[in-house]
Amino acid sequence: PFVERSKHRGWWPECKAAECGDDADALFFLVDRFVGLLAPIKPYGVWVYDMIQEHAPKGFLSESQAWIDHYDQIVKPNMRQANVVVVPGASVKGDVQAAYGVNSEAIRTIPVACDPMKRFSTIKSSKIKRINSPFFLYPANASPHKGAEWVIRAIGHLKQMVPAFPAVVQCGINSDRFSQASSDTSCPHSVKMRRLVVELGLVEGKNIHFLGSISDHELKWLYENTIG
């Protein structure tokens, strides 16, 4: 289960003992984002999807000034005592070894299972009516480390060079908070992105779209019709 621990720290995994399987022989965590130190009273494993924080720490610092301290003081110690760490590929395995000091023998490489045809072949596309011009697709949530600031700045730069540059469509959890229609002030990053769009002279609905969460039917239509 996920809960919003604070308006500035974003979404973090948190669970109660009973929900974690207090009587289980072992535990397996689907993400390496711990909220506290773990007592190694039973074996546990962790799935690590990526190590973006090692390559782009500024993005995480912008989410919370305490993020890196938390990462060093809680996440890393928990990872070092894990019995098994599962990664999707060789690059992440190298990052896990370098950052967490996990023994190579404890790491298992299992590629992420993804079959778009199986998921979308039976789904009918649903056009998003407000998008009528050629567009680039940017599927990403509203977390600062997803890079929305740099995408928006790039669009602003390109529009100055090429006025007819196609629109960019962003979809993903909370990305609608970047829209001028949003009144949310709880997230400084969202407020900053709304101001940036105005400062760069971008016209929402023409140069850029912020859709937020969408259905699989709409997502299929976006992928079928995007130019990049």
Side-chain angles (χ1 to χ4, degrees):
F2 287 78
V3 295
E4 192 172 8
R5 291 182 57 79
S6 79
K7 293 181 178 178
H8 299 292
R9 289 183 61 186
W11 290 89
W12 288 73
E14 180 181 270
C15 55
K16 299 177 182 178
E19 295 169 336
C20 278
D22 194 36
D23 298 324
D25 295 323
L27 300 176
F28 189 77
F29 298 92
L30 290 174
V31 66
D32 57 335
R33 299 291 189 266
F34 300 98
V35 297
L37 288 170
L38 295 173
I41 57 177
K42 61 182 66 178
Y44 68 85
V46 187
W47 185 294
V48 180
Y49 292 100
D50 59 62
M51 297 286 290
I52 300 174
Q53 64 271 14
E54 286 293 312
H55 300 282
K58 289 184 179 180
F60 290 84
L61 281 170
S62 65
E63 293 177 33
S64 169
Q65 291 302 308
W67 199 96
I68 296 299
D69 290 338
H70 180 99
Y71 176 57
D72 288 333
Q73 297 168 11
I74 295 177
V75 177
K76 288 185 178 181
N78 285 341
M79 291 300 301
R80 288 172 184 144
Q81 65 184 14
N83 299 79
V84 175
V85 176
V86 178
V87 298
S91 62
V92 180
K93 178 180 180 180
D95 287 342
V96 164
Q97 288 179 285
Y100 293 145
V102 175
N103 191 301
S104 178
E105 296 179 356
I107 301 177
R108 304 289 185 273
T109 301
I110 304 176
V112 175
C114 180
D115 187 348
M117 283 302 296
K118 184 175 182 179
R119 176 167 181 171
F120 288 97
S121 61
T122 60
I123 293 176
K124 183 178 180 180
S125 299
S126 179
K127 185 182 187 305
I128 300 175
K129 295 180 180 179
R130 59 180 134 159
I131 302 174
N132 296 306
S133 57
F135 64 91
F136 285 101
L137 179 59
Y138 171 49
N141 66 47
S143 299
H145 69 271
K146 295 298 183 181
E149 177 176 354
W150 307 109
V151 172
I152 293 172
R153 290 188 182 279
I155 299 168
H157 178 68
L158 288 165
K159 289 299 293 184
Q160 291 182 344
M161 298 173 59
V162 185
F165 188 78
V168 172
V169 175
Q170 180 178 1
C171 64
I173 296 173
N174 293 331
S175 59
D176 52 329
R177 291 182 180 178
F178 298 163
S179 170
Q180 302 302 317
S182 173
S183 58
D184 179 81
T185 58
S186 64
C187 177
H189 178 63
S190 297
V191 174
K192 180 181 179 181
M193 293 306 97
R194 293 200 293 268
R195 290 174 179 168
L196 184 61
V197 169
V198 174
E199 291 172 3
L200 294 174
L202 296 174
V203 178
E204 192 174 340
K206 179 181 178 182
N207 307 134
I208 193 165
H209 301 265
F210 299 112
L211 303 182
S213 297
I214 60 175
S215 69
D216 280 355
H217 302 271
E218 293 171 319
L219 183 61
K220 183 178 183 181
W221 181 83
L222 287 174
Y223 271 105
E224 289 176 339
N225 290 277
T226 183
I227 59 175

